[in-house]
């Protein structure tokens, strides 16, 4: 069983560190409202993973993964949400650029925890991942429900640790990020990346 857990940890770790929409959302929150806000966003993302895990154990995620209509609906809503976040980031970046140079005010960007949660819940690929790949990583000697619960918890902890560490790195680079020109460049880049991820989700097959 230990061998299976080590292998599962390796696969989940690789999947966790690959840059994706979650990292872009966290970057946006860190730039717009600081590391505390970004860490609460990370908590929302981890909560979304736990919610998907609960749905998977209950068998509901497999229904979504097997239903083309439901999958398409969630996919398009999720894509629209990412595009909305990207457009919002670009607009707020533009507004910040027009603010007085000595202004330290940061725009209000809504609940960070809810942003992370909603973005994660509206990602149907997690349902496919949890119902397709995750069972193949489950230790065979454990009951199916217990094995899946354990793997979901591992994934949530890895995600929490990885994204929290990323936020702390951004905080360490705060003296660089506080430079107006750097903030504007990163803000534009993050907005474009979020919109790009949204379009990729909307046009992806399966």
């Amino acid at each position: 069983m230990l061998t299976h857990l080590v292998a599962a940890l390796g696969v989940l770790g690789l999947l966790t560190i690959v840059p994706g929409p979650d990292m872009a959302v966290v970057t946006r929150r860190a730039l717009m409202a600081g590391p505390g806000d970004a860490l609460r966003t990370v908590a929302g993302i981890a909560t979304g993973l736990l919610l998907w895990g609960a749905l998977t154990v209950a068998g509901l995620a497999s229904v979504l993964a097997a239903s083309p209509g439901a999958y398409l609906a969630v996919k398009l809503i999720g894509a629209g949400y990412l595009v909305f976040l990207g457009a919002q980031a670009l607009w707020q970046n533009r507004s910040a650029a027009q603010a007085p140079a000595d202004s330290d005010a940061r725009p209000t960007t809504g609940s960070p925890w809810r942003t992370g949660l909603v973005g994660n819940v509206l990602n149907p690929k997690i349902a496919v991942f949890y119902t397709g790949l995750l069972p193949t990583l489950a230790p065979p000697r454990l009951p199916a429900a217990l094995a899946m619960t354990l793997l979901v918890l591992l994934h949530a902890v890895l995600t929490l640790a990885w994204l929290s560490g990323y936020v702390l790195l951004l905080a360490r680079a705060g003296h660089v990020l506080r430079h107006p020109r750097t903030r504007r460049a990163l803000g534009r880049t993050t907005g474009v990346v979020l919109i790009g991820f949204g379009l990729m989700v909307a046009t992806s097959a399966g």
Side-chain angles (χ1 to χ4, degrees):
M1 186 176 74
L2 181 60
T3 302
H4 280 88
L5 285 177
V6 171
L9 191 63
V11 174
L12 290 173
L14 288 174
L15 291 172
T16 299
I17 66 176
V18 173
D22 286 345
M23 184 172 284
V25 170
V26 169
T27 303
R28 169 182 173 267
R29 300 298 305 204
L31 291 175
M32 302 307 297
D37 193 278
L39 287 174
R40 287 187 285 273
T41 305
V42 172
I45 291 170
T47 303
L49 291 176
L50 294 177
L51 179 57
W52 273 118
L55 292 175
T56 301
V57 172
L60 298 179
S62 60
V63 175
L64 173 62
S67 172
Y71 181 89
L72 178 62
V74 175
K75 182 176 77 169
L76 292 179
I77 294 173
Y81 185 66
L82 289 175
V83 171
F84 166 76
L85 290 179
Q88 187 181 57
L90 292 175
W91 175 257
Q92 290 171 341
N93 189 68
R94 178 175 179 272
S95 300
Q98 295 174 348
D102 59 349
S103 175
D104 292 327
R106 287 173 172 175
T108 301
T109 53
S111 166
W113 182 84
R114 186 174 61 244
T115 297
L117 175 67
V118 172
N120 202 274
V121 167
L122 292 179
N123 184 358
K125 291 187 180 296
I126 298 178
V128 175
F129 167 64
Y130 276 7
T131 58
L133 177 60
L134 213 58
T136 67
L137 304 175
R141 295 184 181 180
L142 291 179
L146 178 59
M148 289 295 294
T149 300
L150 177 61
L151 292 178
V152 169
L153 289 174
L154 280 175
H155 189 209
V157 169
L158 286 172
T159 300
L160 195 62
W162 171 252
L163 291 179
S164 296
Y166 173 66
V167 171
L168 294 179
L169 285 176
L170 290 177
R172 291 288 296 271
H175 63 288
V176 176
L177 297 180
R178 278 192 292 270
H179 192 281
R181 183 173 297 177
T182 303
R183 288 179 63 85
R184 287 195 294 271
L186 288 175
R188 286 193 296 269
T189 301
T190 304
V192 171
V193 167
L194 282 168
I195 292 174
F197 275 128
L199 296 177
M200 285 174 58
V201 170
T203 57
S204 63

